[in-house]
Amino acid sequence: YTLGAKCNPTLVAKANKGVISCCGALYTPALFQLSGIGDADLLKPLGIPVISDNKHVGAHLANHTGGLG
């Protein structure tokens, strides 16, 4: 499912089995954090309910300014 510019930014999905979620290297951690999966110390002050406290989500992101060739 792809959200377009005219779609409501809130999407509720339910599943009876596992779900694979991917938004690329930068946006997947952000999606998890906005969904309440991440460092509780970062999520709670933002008013995001914590589903799973995991300090590793988004912890190793870096801005890579170099390119190939």
Side-chain angles (χ1 to χ4, degrees), residues 2-56:
T2 302
L3 291 177
K6 295 181 181 180
C7 291
N8 185 338
T10 301
L11 177 67
V12 176
K14 296 181 181 184
N16 294 324
K17 295 190 178 193
V19 174
I20 297 174
S21 176
C22 182
C23 295
L26 296 178
Y27 293 111
T28 298
L31 174 65
F32 287 158
Q33 290 171 335
L34 290 170
S35 299
I37 302 169
D39 187 351
D41 294 334
L42 295 174
L43 302 178
K44 286 180 183 178
L46 298 172
I48 299 172
V50 178
I51 303 299
S52 177
D53 182 16
N54 186 330
K55 297 194 183 303
H56 298 290

